[in-house]
Amino acid sequence: MGATNALTVVDGTPTRGVIQRAGQYWQEMNVRWPDLPAVRDLGEIVVSARKALPAARTA
């Protein structure tokens, strides 16, 4: 699965853009195949990665 690889390849510190894109892929797949283990795994990775992001800056 490309999105999972994208999140893990960046050595545990994916960029906000990678996380957002992976989240989009996950949401699309989760609508069709919510019971597939790979889709659930990707969702867990996306949620964890989002939590690890620093707070967005406000101008």
Side-chain angles (χ1 to χ4, degrees), residues 1-33:
M1 180 177 299
T4 301
N5 290 343
L7 287 171
T8 56
V9 127
V10 290
D11 202 20
T13 54
T15 65
R16 188 175 301 277
V18 169
I19 294 168
Q20 288 174 336
R21 190 70 176 140
Q24 290 170 346
Y25 287 136
W26 168 63
Q27 288 174 342
E28 291 171 13
M29 289 185 286
N30 196 44
V31 169
R32 292 180 157 171
W33 309 290

